[in-house]
Amino acid sequence: MMSMHTALGRFQDGFAQALLAPDPATVPGLPAEIAALARQPGFAVYRNTVMKGCIDALQANYPAVARLVGEEWFRAAAAIFARGQLPAQATLMYYGEAFAEFLARFEPAADLPYLSGVARLDRFWTESHAASDESVLDPAALAGLTPETLAATVLHPHPAARWLWVADQPIYTIWRRNREEHANERDIDWRGEGALLARPRGAVLWVQLDAAGCAFLDVCAAGRPLAEAAVAALEAQEDADLAQLTKTLLEAGAFARMSHIRIDTPKVTQP
Protein backbone atom coordinates (compact mmCIF):
# COMPACT_ATOMS: atom_id res chain seq x y z
CA MET A 1 0.00 0.00 0.00
CA MET A 2 2.82 2.42 0.83
CA SER A 3 4.51 1.87 -2.52
CA MET A 4 1.21 2.56 -4.33
CA HIS A 5 0.86 5.84 -2.48
CA THR A 6 4.46 6.72 -3.29
CA ALA A 7 3.96 5.99 -6.98
CA LEU A 8 0.77 8.02 -7.03
CA GLY A 9 2.52 10.90 -5.29
CA ARG A 10 5.35 10.86 -7.84
CA PHE A 11 2.80 10.87 -10.66
CA GLN A 12 0.89 13.77 -9.15
CA ASP A 13 4.07 15.78 -8.52
CA GLY A 14 5.27 15.18 -12.07
CA PHE A 15 1.89 16.09 -13.50
CA ALA A 16 1.85 19.36 -11.54
CA GLN A 17 5.38 20.19 -12.70
CA ALA A 18 4.46 19.59 -16.33
CA LEU A 19 1.28 21.56 -15.90
CA LEU A 20 3.02 24.63 -14.51
CA ALA A 21 6.26 24.66 -16.48
CA PRO A 22 6.41 27.05 -19.47
CA ASP A 23 7.83 24.11 -21.44
CA PRO A 24 7.25 20.61 -20.00
CA ALA A 25 10.10 19.25 -22.10
CA THR A 26 12.57 21.23 -19.98
CA VAL A 27 11.45 19.74 -16.65
CA PRO A 28 14.31 17.54 -15.36
CA GLY A 29 13.51 14.02 -14.21
CA LEU A 30 9.93 14.06 -15.48
CA PRO A 31 8.45 10.52 -15.36
CA ALA A 32 8.21 8.93 -18.80
CA GLU A 33 4.45 8.57 -18.67
CA ILE A 34 4.06 12.29 -17.81
CA ALA A 35 6.51 13.30 -20.55
CA ALA A 36 4.49 11.27 -23.05
CA LEU A 37 1.26 12.83 -21.84
CA ALA A 38 2.72 16.35 -22.05
CA ARG A 39 3.62 15.82 -25.72
CA GLN A 40 -0.01 15.33 -26.66
CA PRO A 41 -1.71 18.40 -28.19
CA GLY A 42 -4.60 18.15 -25.75
CA PHE A 43 -2.27 18.62 -22.79
CA ALA A 44 -1.35 22.12 -23.95
CA VAL A 45 -5.04 22.99 -24.14
CA TYR A 46 -5.54 21.66 -20.63
CA ARG A 47 -2.52 23.61 -19.34
CA ASN A 48 -3.85 26.82 -20.86
CA THR A 49 -7.31 26.22 -19.42
CA VAL A 50 -5.96 25.61 -15.93
CA MET A 51 -3.72 28.67 -16.07
CA LYS A 52 -6.50 30.90 -17.37
CA GLY A 53 -8.80 29.67 -14.62
CA CYS A 54 -6.22 30.54 -11.96
CA ILE A 55 -5.57 33.99 -13.42
CA ASP A 56 -9.29 34.72 -13.78
CA ALA A 57 -9.86 33.68 -10.17
CA LEU A 58 -7.08 35.93 -8.89
CA GLN A 59 -8.43 38.86 -10.89
CA ALA A 60 -11.89 38.28 -9.42
CA ASN A 61 -10.52 37.90 -5.89
CA TYR A 62 -8.27 40.97 -6.06
CA PRO A 63 -10.29 43.58 -7.97
CA ALA A 64 -8.73 46.63 -6.30
CA VAL A 65 -5.22 45.41 -7.12
CA ALA A 66 -6.23 44.65 -10.71
CA ARG A 67 -7.75 48.09 -11.21
CA LEU A 68 -4.76 49.77 -9.62
CA VAL A 69 -2.10 48.18 -11.85
CA GLY A 70 -4.13 47.50 -14.99
CA GLU A 71 -5.29 44.20 -16.47
CA GLU A 72 -2.17 43.41 -18.51
CA TRP A 73 0.24 43.89 -15.59
CA PHE A 74 -2.03 42.05 -13.19
CA ARG A 75 -2.53 39.00 -15.39
CA ALA A 76 1.20 38.73 -16.07
CA ALA A 77 1.93 38.80 -12.32
CA ALA A 78 -0.93 36.39 -11.61
CA ALA A 79 0.50 33.90 -14.12
CA ILE A 80 3.85 33.93 -12.30
CA PHE A 81 2.09 33.43 -8.97
CA ALA A 82 -0.06 30.60 -10.32
CA ARG A 83 2.94 28.70 -11.66
CA GLY A 84 4.31 28.58 -8.15
CA GLN A 85 1.08 27.86 -6.35
CA LEU A 86 -1.94 26.01 -7.71
CA PRO A 87 -5.28 26.22 -5.89
CA ALA A 88 -5.44 24.08 -2.77
CA GLN A 89 -9.26 23.99 -2.78
CA ALA A 90 -11.84 23.35 -5.45
CA THR A 91 -13.61 26.62 -4.61
CA LEU A 92 -11.60 29.28 -6.44
CA MET A 93 -13.12 32.07 -4.34
CA TYR A 94 -10.49 31.19 -1.72
CA TYR A 95 -7.58 31.04 -4.19
CA GLY A 96 -4.67 33.42 -3.68
CA GLU A 97 -4.26 33.46 0.09
CA ALA A 98 -0.54 34.21 -0.29
CA PHE A 99 -0.91 36.72 -3.13
CA ALA A 100 -0.27 39.75 -0.90
CA GLU A 101 3.00 38.23 0.35
CA PHE A 102 3.93 37.42 -3.25
CA LEU A 103 3.40 41.06 -4.28
CA ALA A 104 5.49 42.28 -1.35
CA ARG A 105 8.45 40.30 -2.74
CA PHE A 106 7.66 40.81 -6.44
CA GLU A 107 10.44 42.93 -7.92
CA PRO A 108 8.30 44.61 -10.64
CA ALA A 109 6.07 45.91 -7.80
CA ALA A 110 8.97 47.50 -5.90
CA ASP A 111 7.80 50.99 -6.93
CA LEU A 112 4.33 50.25 -5.52
CA PRO A 113 5.03 49.56 -1.83
CA TYR A 114 1.33 49.91 -0.99
CA LEU A 115 0.27 47.16 -3.41
CA SER A 116 0.59 44.29 -0.95
CA GLY A 117 -1.50 46.23 1.58
CA VAL A 118 -4.23 46.76 -1.01
CA ALA A 119 -4.08 43.03 -1.72
CA ARG A 120 -4.47 42.27 1.99
CA LEU A 121 -7.66 44.33 2.11
CA ASP A 122 -9.00 42.57 -0.99
CA ARG A 123 -8.27 39.28 0.78
CA PHE A 124 -9.97 40.55 3.93
CA TRP A 125 -13.11 41.18 1.88
CA THR A 126 -13.12 37.54 0.74
CA GLU A 127 -12.52 36.25 4.26
CA SER A 128 -15.19 38.52 5.72
CA HIS A 129 -17.68 37.50 3.03
CA ALA A 130 -17.03 33.78 3.61
CA ALA A 131 -16.81 33.88 7.43
CA SER A 132 -19.23 31.89 9.54
CA ASP A 133 -22.55 33.43 10.47
CA GLU A 134 -22.90 34.75 13.99
CA SER A 135 -25.04 37.38 15.62
CA VAL A 136 -23.60 40.86 16.01
CA LEU A 137 -23.31 42.29 19.51
CA ASP A 138 -26.07 44.81 20.19
CA PRO A 139 -24.55 48.13 21.36
CA ALA A 140 -27.31 48.31 23.96
CA ALA A 141 -25.70 45.35 25.73
CA LEU A 142 -23.11 47.71 27.22
CA ALA A 143 -25.65 50.23 28.44
CA GLY A 144 -26.07 50.35 32.18
CA LEU A 145 -22.86 48.53 33.04
CA THR A 146 -20.98 50.01 35.96
CA PRO A 147 -17.50 51.39 35.24
CA GLU A 148 -15.98 48.46 37.13
CA THR A 149 -17.95 45.90 35.14
CA LEU A 150 -17.23 47.68 31.87
CA ALA A 151 -13.50 47.69 32.59
CA ALA A 152 -13.62 43.91 33.09
CA THR A 153 -15.71 43.28 29.97
CA VAL A 154 -14.17 41.44 27.03
CA LEU A 155 -15.55 42.22 23.57
CA HIS A 156 -14.99 39.27 21.25
CA PRO A 157 -14.46 40.17 17.57
CA HIS A 158 -17.00 38.85 15.09
CA PRO A 159 -15.75 35.98 12.84
CA ALA A 160 -16.18 38.29 9.84
CA ALA A 161 -14.19 41.20 11.32
CA ARG A 162 -10.82 41.96 9.75
CA TRP A 163 -8.65 45.00 10.40
CA LEU A 164 -5.31 46.42 9.31
CA TRP A 165 -3.16 49.41 10.25
CA VAL A 166 -0.38 50.71 7.98
CA ALA A 167 1.62 53.45 9.66
CA ASP A 168 3.13 55.10 6.60
CA GLN A 169 0.59 54.63 3.80
CA PRO A 170 -3.02 55.79 3.17
CA ILE A 171 -3.92 52.18 2.55
CA TYR A 172 -7.65 52.52 3.19
CA THR A 173 -8.08 55.42 0.78
CA ILE A 174 -6.10 53.72 -1.99
CA TRP A 175 -8.01 50.48 -1.56
CA ARG A 176 -11.44 52.08 -1.25
CA ARG A 177 -11.02 54.23 -4.34
CA ASN A 178 -10.08 51.24 -6.44
CA ARG A 179 -12.58 48.87 -4.86
CA GLU A 180 -15.42 51.36 -5.33
CA GLU A 181 -13.93 52.65 -8.62
CA HIS A 182 -13.80 56.29 -7.56
CA ALA A 183 -11.69 58.02 -10.17
CA ASN A 184 -12.02 61.77 -9.71
CA GLU A 185 -11.56 62.46 -6.03
CA ARG A 186 -9.16 64.91 -4.40
CA ASP A 187 -5.47 64.15 -3.99
CA ILE A 188 -4.58 61.61 -1.35
CA ASP A 189 -3.21 62.88 1.94
CA TRP A 190 -0.16 60.63 2.36
CA ARG A 191 -0.34 59.43 5.96
CA GLY A 192 -0.93 56.25 7.88
CA GLU A 193 -4.39 54.70 7.73
CA GLY A 194 -6.24 51.65 8.92
CA ALA A 195 -9.36 49.79 7.88
CA LEU A 196 -12.02 47.54 9.37
CA LEU A 197 -14.05 45.15 7.26
CA ALA A 198 -17.09 43.49 8.81
CA ARG A 199 -20.38 41.88 7.83
CA PRO A 200 -23.03 43.05 10.29
CA ARG A 201 -26.11 42.60 8.09
CA GLY A 202 -25.20 39.98 5.52
CA ALA A 203 -23.07 42.24 3.30
CA VAL A 204 -19.44 43.21 3.78
CA LEU A 205 -18.89 46.84 4.72
CA TRP A 206 -15.74 48.80 5.42
CA VAL A 207 -14.86 51.79 7.56
CA GLN A 208 -11.66 53.71 8.10
CA LEU A 209 -9.84 53.14 11.40
CA ASP A 210 -7.02 54.99 13.08
CA ALA A 211 -4.12 53.49 14.99
CA ALA A 212 -6.12 53.57 18.21
CA GLY A 213 -8.94 51.54 16.71
CA CYS A 214 -6.65 48.84 15.40
CA ALA A 215 -4.76 48.64 18.70
CA PHE A 216 -8.09 48.40 20.54
CA LEU A 217 -9.20 45.49 18.35
CA ASP A 218 -5.85 43.72 18.72
CA VAL A 219 -6.29 43.61 22.49
CA CYS A 220 -9.91 42.47 22.19
CA ALA A 221 -8.84 39.67 19.84
CA ALA A 222 -6.35 38.53 22.48
CA GLY A 223 -9.23 38.06 24.93
CA ARG A 224 -8.23 40.94 27.18
CA PRO A 225 -10.70 43.33 28.88
CA LEU A 226 -11.76 46.80 27.83
CA ALA A 227 -9.54 48.39 30.47
CA GLU A 228 -6.48 47.02 28.65
CA ALA A 229 -7.93 47.78 25.21
CA ALA A 230 -8.42 51.40 26.25
CA VAL A 231 -4.83 51.67 27.47
CA ALA A 232 -3.53 50.22 24.20
CA ALA A 233 -5.64 52.63 22.17
CA LEU A 234 -4.34 55.64 24.09
CA GLU A 235 -0.76 54.42 23.80
CA ALA A 236 -1.20 54.17 20.03
CA GLN A 237 -2.91 57.55 19.80
CA GLU A 238 -2.97 59.76 22.87
CA ASP A 239 -5.88 61.91 21.66
CA ALA A 240 -8.14 58.95 20.93
CA ASP A 241 -11.83 59.43 21.75
CA LEU A 242 -12.58 56.09 23.40
CA ALA A 243 -16.33 56.60 23.60
CA GLN A 244 -16.59 57.44 19.90
CA LEU A 245 -14.22 54.63 18.97
CA THR A 246 -16.27 52.03 20.85
CA LYS A 247 -19.46 53.37 19.25
CA THR A 248 -17.94 53.14 15.75
CA LEU A 249 -16.76 49.56 16.27
CA LEU A 250 -20.09 48.42 17.70
CA GLU A 251 -22.10 50.04 14.92
CA ALA A 252 -19.82 48.49 12.28
CA GLY A 253 -20.50 45.02 13.68
CA ALA A 254 -16.96 44.36 14.85
CA PHE A 255 -18.04 42.25 17.83
CA ALA A 256 -20.09 39.10 18.21
CA ARG A 257 -20.43 38.77 21.97
CA MET A 258 -19.05 39.87 25.29
CA SER A 259 -17.90 38.18 28.44
CA HIS A 260 -16.50 39.28 31.76
CA ILE A 261 -13.34 38.45 33.61
CA ARG A 262 -12.34 39.04 37.16
CA ILE A 263 -9.87 41.85 37.75
CA ASP A 264 -8.15 41.53 41.09
CA THR A 265 -7.44 44.80 42.83
CA PRO A 266 -4.56 45.02 45.24
CA LYS A 267 -5.55 44.79 48.89
CA VAL A 268 -4.69 47.74 51.07
CA THR A 269 -3.17 46.76 54.38
CA GLN A 270 -4.48 48.88 57.21
CA PRO A 271 -1.76 50.32 59.49
Side-chain angles (χ1 to χ4, degrees):
M1 184 65 69
M2 182 64 70
S3 61
M4 182 181 297
H5 287 171
T6 302
L8 177 61
R10 285 199 299 268
F11 180 88
Q12 292 172 333
D13 290 343
F15 188 86
Q17 286 181 296
L19 192 65
L20 296 173
D23 182 2
T26 63
V27 177
L30 198 65
E33 63 271 24
I34 300 296
L37 181 65
R39 287 194 292 270
Q40 298 181 18
F43 189 78
V45 176
Y46 181 70
R47 288 176 66 244
N48 292 338
T49 300
V50 170
M51 184 59 65
K52 182 178 184 303
C54 290
I55 295 171
D56 288 348
L58 286 170
Q59 188 168 351
N61 293 343
Y62 291 88
V65 176
R67 187 172 189 270
L68 188 58
V69 299
E71 183 173 7
E72 182 178 358
W73 192 101
F74 182 91
R75 293 183 72 84
I80 296 172
F81 174 84
R83 289 193 181 98
Q85 185 171 319
L86 285 174
Q89 303 180 50
T91 304
L92 290 179
M93 181 181 73
Y94 302 113
Y95 180 48
E97 181 179 5
F99 193 55
E101 289 74 16
F102 165 81
L103 291 174
R105 302 187 305 268
F106 192 45
E107 186 174 348
D111 293 335
L112 305 171
Y114 48 83
L115 197 59
S116 63
V118 172
R120 287 183 67 186
L121 292 181
D122 270 343
R123 180 68 188 183
F124 280 179
W125 187 97
T126 297
E127 293 176 356
S128 184
H129 174 73
S132 60
D133 290 327
E134 192 169 333
S135 298
V136 173
L137 180 65
D138 186 345
L142 299 182
L145 296 181
T146 66
E148 294 77 11
T149 301
L150 194 60
T153 297
V154 179
L155 298 182
H156 300 272
H158 193 278
R162 300 290 186 277
W163 59 92
L164 172 69
W165 169 255
V166 179
D168 58 350
Q169 298 167 5
I171 202 67
Y172 174 78
T173 300
I174 296 172
W175 177 79
R176 181 183 62 83
R177 288 191 183 184
N178 287 278
R179 186 85 192 194
E180 299 175 359
E181 301 187 2
H182 291 173
N184 298 313
E185 296 189 11
R186 61 180 177 80
D187 292 340
I188 296 176
D189 183 9
W190 205 265
R191 56 185 175 82
E193 287 182 353
L196 166 69
L197 280 74
R199 201 191 65 213
R201 288 171 290 276
V204 179
L205 60 77
W206 43 87
V207 296
Q208 184 171 347
L209 277 190
D210 53 21
C214 292
F216 188 96
L217 285 169
D218 286 341
V219 174
C220 292
R224 304 308 302 158
L226 286 178
E228 295 183 24
V231 170
L234 292 171
E235 287 178 347
Q237 189 173 324
E238 62 182 12
D239 63 345
D241 184 337
L242 295 178
Q244 181 59 47
L245 171 59
T246 305
K247 181 175 183 289
T248 297
L249 296 176
L250 287 167
E251 291 179 347
F255 304 108
R257 59 186 178 87
M258 68 180 185
S259 62
H260 303 282
I261 66 173
R262 178 178 177 179
I263 298 180
D264 294 324
T265 56
K267 294 181 179 180
V268 177
T269 302
Q270 295 296 331

